[in-house]
Amino acid sequence: MDFKWRINCLDALSPTLIFGLAGVATISAISGLHILFSRTSKMLHERKGRNTPRMKGVVIRSYGGISSVEVRTDVPVPKILHDNEVLLKVVAAGLDNMDLLVTKGYGRAIRSHLRHNNDHVDDDSMIILGRECSGIVLNTGRNVTCVAKGDEVWAISAYCLEGLMAEYVVVKDTQVALKPKNLTFEEAASLPYSTIQVCNALLNQASLNSISAKGKRILLITGNSPVGLFAIQLLKSWGGNVTTAVPTAGLPMCHELGADDVIVYSVTDFETELRRRKRFDIVLNAIGTIIHQLCVDISSPGGKVITFTTTPILSDKFDVLLGSCLAAVLQIVAWIKKLNQGMLTNFWWDNFSYDKEYLVKTSTFVEEGNIFPIIERIYDMDDAVVAFQQLAKYENVGKNVLRISHQNI
């Protein structure tokens, strides 16, 4: 009887119910395996993390402005993973205004996308700051030919890439070049990011050189900034006629560098003073789009307006794909507007490429004595927070620099 009851029960089970039960069992098994795999993977990752060497670095863990800047000793030490990479021991790192923007979230969407696809990012919660550094090559990938082990170098990093304010960094060979031989590591660390901007503007956008710059009337707004101080020196070495606008604190240095005309905008009517002067062949605008029309008005027919200040990135407000599409549309609209207004010769520029060849050119300028670095103050790495707080006052005449480590390998 008992046997017949069990047979009847089995007969009562419909195929649908049987397959349903089988499905539940299968899903349960897969879920169990997934949990087991996840726990094992997490355990292995934690074990790997415990075995990874650690170093000191200047980082942020949130986009809360300079209040989020901290010096940590638990940053994973990077290593070469690709044939075109270079491992550096960082001796000094410069503080750029771009770092202040990064602490507030500038470029966060692009940075997040790149970090998710970056083999070097072990801890996604920490973002290393620093756009420029100098140091010593510890090792190179097998395809690297521009530098070798033991070389003294300087390097740059775009706002959306991993920063350079750490004891050790890995950069691509396109980001690094030999530093000028006549500069200390601290001096060399103060120049690279400004170099990239100025060389893009003057050599590329304005098509200036030691011959074409002679006699040109060039206006440089905020000549006390690192970009301005570098540009004044380079333009004067080429024979350009330089007018600059600065706060009172920047007046002595701009006179010392040979600026032909200095407007102190903190004690005069800035716009009135500019409109009184003869029009300029080149206007280098480091304030931003707010004075773009003024810059166009005071430029000569056929002159160029070149803007340094970084504009907001649309992908930070939207996502990367939509933001890129909107940026392309706005760029087209801007060019159509210029054509309609007859402003094709006045080029409004606010982007630059990170080309290491500009570092190579700058080494030549420095070694020939045409450029020298201007440093506001050198801080120890442990005082990085104080250095950022001072930078945020926008009172510097030159760069703040962090001393990361000693020169010996």
Side-chain angles (χ1 to χ4, degrees):
M1 184 68 181
D2 183 57
F3 176 73
K4 288 183 178 182
W5 180 83
R6 278 182 283 180
I7 292 295
N8 291 334
C9 288
L10 288 174
D11 288 340
L13 293 176
S14 67
T16 303
L17 183 57
I18 292 174
F19 282 116
L21 293 173
V24 171
T26 302
I27 293 172
S28 299
I30 293 174
S31 299
L33 289 173
H34 176 72
I35 293 172
L36 178 62
F37 175 79
S38 298
R39 290 179 177 175
T40 303
S41 177
K42 182 179 180 181
M43 184 174 62
L44 291 174
H45 181 75
E46 292 175 349
R47 185 178 298 172
K48 177 184 176 183
R50 288 194 295 269
N51 294 332
T52 300
R54 301 289 163 166
M55 64 179 178
K56 188 180 291 187
V58 182
V59 308
I60 56 173
R61 297 173 69 88
S62 65
Y63 292 115
I66 59 173
S67 62
S68 59
V69 177
E70 56 182 317
V71 180
R72 299 186 65 92
T73 59
D74 59 346
V75 181
V77 175
K79 59 183 178 181
I80 292 175
L81 300 176
H82 304 284
D83 292 339
N84 64 340
E85 293 180 336
V86 181
L87 174 63
L88 305 180
K89 176 181 180 180
V90 179
V91 177
L95 278 73
D96 192 87
N97 288 340
M98 176 55 72
D99 289 310
L100 295 178
L101 294 178
V102 170
T103 67
K104 299 174 184 177
Y106 184 84
R108 69 172 74 190
I110 299 174
R111 184 177 306 109
S112 177
H113 174 74
L114 294 176
R115 284 171 65 84
H116 282 309
N117 297 280
N118 188 342
D119 297 336
H120 290 288
V121 177
D122 288 335
D123 187 345
D124 197 45
S125 67
M126 288 192 290
I127 297 172
I128 301 174
L129 298 173
R131 303 302 107 207
E132 57 193 353
C133 77
S134 63
I136 301 169
V137 176
L138 294 182
N139 202 359
T140 65
R142 61 183 178 181
N143 290 344
V144 176
T145 58
C146 59
V147 295
K149 182 177 180 179
D151 284 344
E152 298 182 353
V153 298
W154 54 4
I156 53 169
S157 181
Y159 67 87
C160 54
L161 300 180
E162 292 304 292
L164 305 174
M165 282 185 187
E167 292 178 301
Y168 302 93
V169 298
V170 168
V171 296
K172 293 182 178 179
D173 56 359
T174 55
Q175 299 173 250
V176 63
L178 297 174
K179 79 173 184 64
K181 297 177 181 177
N182 56 336
L183 294 186
T184 66
F185 283 98
E186 289 78 11
E187 291 171 336
S190 71
L191 288 176
Y193 205 71
S194 302
T195 288
I196 293 295
Q197 296 177 74
V198 173
C199 287
N200 265 278
L202 298 183
L203 278 68
N204 187 18
Q205 304 295 340
S207 301
L208 293 181
N209 54 45
S210 58
I211 298 175
S212 62
K214 284 182 168 51
K216 286 281 196 310
R217 284 184 50 76
I218 303 160
L219 171 64
L220 175 59
I221 301 174
T222 66
N224 62 302
S225 67
V227 163
L229 295 171
F230 183 92
I232 291 173
Q233 294 181 74
L234 187 57
L235 290 168
K236 291 309 299 179
S237 72
W238 287 347
N241 184 291
V242 178
T243 297
T244 188
V246 298
T248 304
L251 181 62
M253 181 58 70
C254 289
H255 277 313
E256 184 177 335
L257 296 179
D260 300 280
D261 184 12
V262 182
I263 301 170
V264 182
Y265 59 71
S266 54
V267 296
T268 61
D269 187 325
F270 174 66
E271 182 173 345
T272 300
E273 288 296 324
L274 286 175
R275 292 187 184 279
R276 283 176 181 170
R277 286 162 170 76
K278 182 180 176 181
R279 292 194 172 194
F280 299 93
D281 300 305
I282 306 289
V283 178
L284 304 181
N285 170 21
I287 290 182
T289 57
I290 190 172
I291 63 166
H292 176 67
Q293 190 57 51
L294 170 63
C295 294
V296 171
D297 293 344
I298 61 178
S299 64
S300 60
K304 291 185 177 180
V305 176
I306 303 172
T307 300
F308 288 99
T309 300
T310 306
T311 55
I313 299 177
L314 291 175
S315 59
D316 286 343
K317 186 173 183 180
F318 306 98
D319 58 35
V320 174
L321 180 59
L322 180 57
S324 299
C325 292
L326 288 174
V329 170
L330 291 177
Q331 186 67 40
I332 293 171
V333 171
W335 276 109
I336 293 174
K337 183 178 179 180
K338 290 177 188 180
L339 286 169
N340 290 337
Q341 295 180 357
M343 293 166 51
L344 185 59
T345 52
N346 288 301
F347 187 83
W348 183 4
W349 168 84
D350 59 7
N351 295 298
F352 56 92
S353 60
Y354 297 80
D355 190 341
K356 74 172 182 182
E357 290 307 310
Y358 292 141
L359 295 180
V360 175
K361 290 179 184 293
T362 301
S363 286
T364 302
F365 298 150
V366 172
E367 290 173 356
E368 289 176 349
N370 295 325
I371 303 290
F372 63 89
I374 299 170
I375 296 176
E376 173 79 13
R377 183 175 171 184
I378 298 174
Y379 293 82
D380 288 331
M381 190 179 187
D382 290 335
D383 297 323
V385 174
V386 176
F388 270 96
Q389 291 171 343
Q390 197 278 331
L391 178 65
K393 295 178 181 178
Y394 295 100
E395 297 174 349
N396 281 13
V397 180
K399 273 280 178 80
N400 283 346
V401 174
L402 292 184
R403 184 178 288 113
I404 305 294
S405 62
H406 298 289
Q407 298 180 22
N408 57 304
I409 297 180

